[in-house]
Amino acid sequence: CQALYEALEDLRLIDPAGHRLIIEYYLEERVTLTEIGKKHGISKQACSKKIKKSLETLKILVELHRLGR
């Protein structure tokens, strides 16, 4: 979906850390929140919270792209 690709690019520009966490968690095989958190110097809980917030932002960006904005 073009809107998703464009929204991911926007997220990378406005929230690089969140973008990185989403990519690592959803696209890398067998990576846990604990492992990602350690890599970035944050707790598992902080990692989970950041991913959730970034996904909420991504959802809004996708909708904006679908609407052509």
Side-chain angles (χ1 to χ4, degrees):
C1 171
Q2 186 66 27
L4 177 59
Y5 292 120
E6 291 171 359
L8 277 167
E9 178 60 19
D10 288 348
L11 183 64
R12 185 183 67 79
L13 295 172
I14 63 174
D15 184 9
H19 177 268
R20 242 183 345 268
L21 292 174
I22 287 174
I23 297 301
E24 288 178 26
Y25 188 64
Y26 288 101
L27 298 180
E28 290 185 8
E29 291 186 39
R30 301 177 189 216
V31 180
T32 67
L33 288 173
T34 301
E35 292 168 328
I36 294 171
K38 277 185 184 179
K39 181 178 177 182
H40 294 278
I42 59 177
S43 69
K44 174 184 174 182
Q45 293 80 11
C47 185
S48 177
K49 194 177 205 179
K50 179 66 176 167
I51 288 173
K52 182 178 179 185
K53 182 178 178 190
S54 296
L55 285 173
E56 290 170 0
T57 301
L58 183 61
K59 182 178 177 182
I60 292 167
L61 291 169
V62 167
E63 286 304 312
L64 289 173
H65 280 283
R66 283 187 180 157
L67 295 172
R69 297 183 181 172

